[in-house]
Amino acid sequence: MANSTMVTEFILLGSTDGWDLSFLYFTVFPMTYLGTLLGNLLIVTVTTADKHLHTPMYFFIRNLSILDMCYISITVPNACVNSLTGNRVISVAGCATQIFLVIFCACVELLFLTIMAWDRYVAICQPLQYPLIMNPQICVRMTLASLLSGLLYAGVHTGNTFHLSFCQSNVVHQFFCDVPSLLRLSCSDTTSNMVILFVLAVAVGGGCFTLIVMSYFHIFAAVLKFPTRAPGKAFSTCTPHILVFSLFLSSGAGVYLKPSSTSDTLQDLLLSAFYTMVPPFLNPLIYSFRNKQVKESVRRVMQRQFSQGNDKVAFQNHPNFIDHGS
């Protein structure tokens, strides 16, 4: 170890197994990123501007949209720029920051989705107690608790990873820095890292998945008891949530719970793209744009802006109007 050269920077490889993935970086990644930003920004704007959507459910949807815009911005723009310029070098500090932010956003995403499922459970199964249980103070506290939990979770994994020594190859076979790829590069014993990674991932991911499934199970049971609550609508709403959450969880588990001795493959890169890009892209479509209330709110906000624009034009065209800026 004394004669080993310590790594001071890492090199991100955008392709593995000899595959040329420039198509992804110049078409799929930018389009997905742009669609994610526009969709989530629209949700944030509408849920903020329309007072009809100032409810606990849309409070969490707005927070989720803000988180999703941050989540996808951590990896995709940098990967596209690296592919365009050919400069794939990232400093150790930059790599640590990227790992911390990705894990933080992924953890908070899981917690937000779990809270949103529980919110729907309370709204459907305990409607009379809903205003008391989901009051604004509780919503803010749950949001802050999720953020603090994400900070702690990300801090543990980032700290454990960068306590290791990196004195072998500095080539990361991913389009962003992640823990599994760095564990494969370390010349230290990574057994304890893998154990902590596995235990915490199962505890957080498995716990969130269990709570979501239980919430939707009670929702389905309650809806089936009362046909007037439109069971078909409940199934069509809840099923996509479960599918996207399962995709998010399974793709992340496929990357983070994979044995560190396994070589990097194209499958790892695609799984990483799934859990960092697909949920932020699909969440607006599932949680908002399929919702009648959101569609009506978008229409109201657009009509309001259009009418304000017409009123301004009419006022400026009035014969008594004086433009003091002239």
Side-chain angles (χ1 to χ4, degrees):
M1 295 292 294
N3 296 327
S4 300
T5 302
M6 301 305 294
V7 171
T8 58
E9 60 185 20
F10 295 101
I11 299 175
L12 301 174
L13 288 186
S15 59
T16 57
D17 298 339
W19 288 76
D20 182 9
L21 302 180
S22 56
F23 173 77
L24 289 178
Y25 295 113
F26 294 120
T27 55
V28 178
F29 278 26
M31 291 176 63
T32 303
Y33 180 65
L34 182 61
T36 300
L37 289 187
L38 292 177
N40 285 288
L41 186 60
L42 179 60
I43 296 304
V44 172
T45 302
V46 171
T47 55
T48 302
D50 193 339
K51 294 182 179 180
H52 295 88
L53 299 184
H54 290 182
T55 63
M57 180 178 72
Y58 292 106
F59 170 77
F60 290 115
I61 288 179
R62 180 166 60 251
N63 289 339
L64 182 67
S65 294
I66 295 173
L67 178 70
D68 283 337
M69 288 190 289
C70 297
Y71 189 18
I72 197 170
S73 297
I74 297 168
T75 57
V76 174
N78 186 62
C80 294
V81 171
N82 289 347
S83 181
L84 182 64
T85 61
N87 181 17
R88 302 182 180 277
V89 176
I90 184 171
S91 65
V92 172
C95 189
T97 301
Q98 195 172 52
I99 284 180
F100 179 86
L101 292 176
V102 167
I103 296 178
F104 167 76
C105 289
C107 179
V108 177
E109 178 106 1
L110 287 175
L111 296 175
F112 276 178
L113 293 175
T114 305
I115 293 173
M116 290 168 66
W118 184 69
D119 171 79
R120 291 300 83 204
Y121 158 73
V122 176
I124 294 175
C125 300
Q126 303 179 37
L128 298 180
Q129 300 181 18
Y130 183 79
L132 178 63
I133 296 176
M134 300 300 296
N135 62 72
Q137 291 78 13
I138 294 295
C139 293
V140 172
R141 289 174 184 174
M142 287 193 293
T143 301
L144 292 177
S146 299
L147 296 175
L148 291 175
S149 299
L151 289 173
L152 179 62
Y153 187 80
V156 169
H157 286 307
T158 306
N160 284 338
T161 301
F162 285 90
H163 269 109
L164 300 174
S165 298
F166 300 96
C167 51
Q168 300 177 13
S169 172
N170 66 337
V171 178
V172 180
H173 292 271
Q174 271 289 4
F175 63 93
F176 66 96
C177 283
D178 67 345
V179 173
S181 296
L182 290 186
L183 292 183
R184 299 186 187 109
L185 301 180
S186 176
C187 49
S188 304
D189 183 12
T190 61
T191 303
S192 61
N193 294 74
M194 293 302 300
V195 171
I196 294 174
L197 189 67
F198 179 82
V199 171
L200 291 181
V202 170
V204 176
C208 290
F209 181 76
T210 301
L211 290 174
I212 287 179
V213 171
M214 290 177 60
S215 297
Y216 286 138
F217 175 80
H218 289 294
I219 289 173
F220 292 154
V223 169
L224 291 175
K225 289 180 181 178
F226 303 96
T228 55
R229 294 190 179 183
K233 182 179 179 180
F235 278 99
S236 65
T237 302
C238 297
T239 302
H241 301 180
I242 298 177
L243 291 177
V244 170
F245 182 84
S246 300
L247 176 65
F248 178 41
L249 198 61
S250 60
S251 57
V255 173
Y256 277 82
L257 300 184
K258 186 178 180 180
S260 59
S261 58
T262 307
S263 60
D264 299 279
T265 63
L266 177 64
Q267 181 183 10
D268 292 336
L269 189 145
L270 294 179
L271 287 175
S272 297
F274 264 103
Y275 84 83
T276 56
M277 296 172 57
V278 173
F281 178 75
L282 291 181
N283 281 336
L285 301 176
I286 292 175
Y287 286 98
S288 301
F289 293 142
R290 299 173 70 251
N291 189 304
K292 185 178 179 181
Q293 280 183 293
V294 174
K295 292 179 181 178
E296 292 176 351
S297 295
V298 172
R299 191 179 302 111
R300 281 196 297 268
V301 171
M302 294 181 65
Q303 288 176 348
R304 189 184 309 142
Q305 295 297 324
F306 182 74
S307 62
Q308 290 176 352
N310 287 341
D311 292 342
K312 183 177 180 180
V313 172
F315 178 70
Q316 291 176 344
N317 291 333
H318 194 276
N320 295 328
F321 173 72
I322 300 176
D323 188 358
H324 296 285
S326 301

